[in-house]
Amino acid sequence: MRYTLIILSLLLSFATEVSAQRVRIGERIPDIEVQSEYGPKLEYIENDYTCLVFINSHSAPCIEALKHINSDILYDTDIVLVTKEKPENHSEIVKRLGTDQYTIAYDVEGKTYRSFGVNYVPFSVIYSTKRKRVESFGSVEYLCNGSYCE
């Protein structure tokens, strides 16, 4: 009985882990469908890399993480904030975030969130803009000075 419980718990943890992560380093990025100045699929980005930061402007951890992103380590990267909030609330969102230095992409229907398997925010994905391949993903902390946000 004990072994059955151990095996069952391992299977459940593996199944949960797989469903929570839909991106893998080196694989093609999932579909993007947003409203932004870079087009609905972010096709007009010209830098070598794109960093998607999935956020919510009502989330204190998202707001705090954005304050500490080190744009110097992302010198050839466009940072795009992806939110499920409505574009007509743009000025309120920018005010809550405390910055207008990043492009905001609106994923009102949540299609991009689902295709990337985003279950928590803030969450980031860096991909090669031309090749459309995932380079890195995970917590926003690694986008800050050193390894972690201060």
Side-chain angles (χ1 to χ4, degrees), residues 40-148:
K41 301 207 177 287
L42 303 179
E43 65 268 24
Y44 301 122
I45 292 178
E46 294 181 5
N47 273 329
D48 293 338
Y49 298 96
T50 302
C51 176
L52 303 179
V53 181
F54 293 87
I55 56 114
N56 182 305
S57 71
H58 295 282
S59 165
C62 291
I63 294 167
E64 193 59 31
L66 290 179
K67 290 178 186 176
H68 298 287
I69 291 177
N70 182 352
S71 54
D72 292 339
I73 64 173
L74 300 170
Y75 64 93
D76 59 350
T77 304
D78 273 308
I79 299 173
V80 178
L81 308 180
V82 182
T83 182
K84 291 182 184 178
E85 297 169 79
K86 296 180 180 178
E88 51 266 19
N89 299 331
H90 179 80
S91 59
E92 295 169 27
I93 293 167
V94 169
K95 185 177 178 180
R96 280 192 295 271
L97 294 176
T99 182
D100 62 355
Q101 78 181 72
Y102 306 117
T103 297
I104 300 176
Y106 296 94
D107 183 23
V108 177
E109 295 179 17
K111 291 179 179 179
T112 302
Y113 267 72
R114 283 191 301 278
S115 70
F116 278 80
V118 175
N119 292 319
Y120 64 88
V121 292
F123 180 79
S124 63
V125 176
I126 298 176
Y127 67 90
S128 167
T129 305
K130 303 288 186 254
R131 293 179 41 234
K132 304 289 188 208
R133 301 280 177 200
V134 175
E135 299 292 330
S136 179
F137 65 90
S139 171
V140 176
E141 292 176 343
Y142 69 91
L143 301 176
C144 302
N145 295 325
S147 299
Y148 296 98

Side-chain angles (χ1 to χ4, degrees), residues 3-18:
Y3 293 113
T4 304
L5 288 175
I6 292 171
I7 292 171
L8 183 58
S9 66
L10 287 173
L11 287 173
L12 284 175
S13 67
F14 178 72
T16 304
E17 185 177 316
V18 170

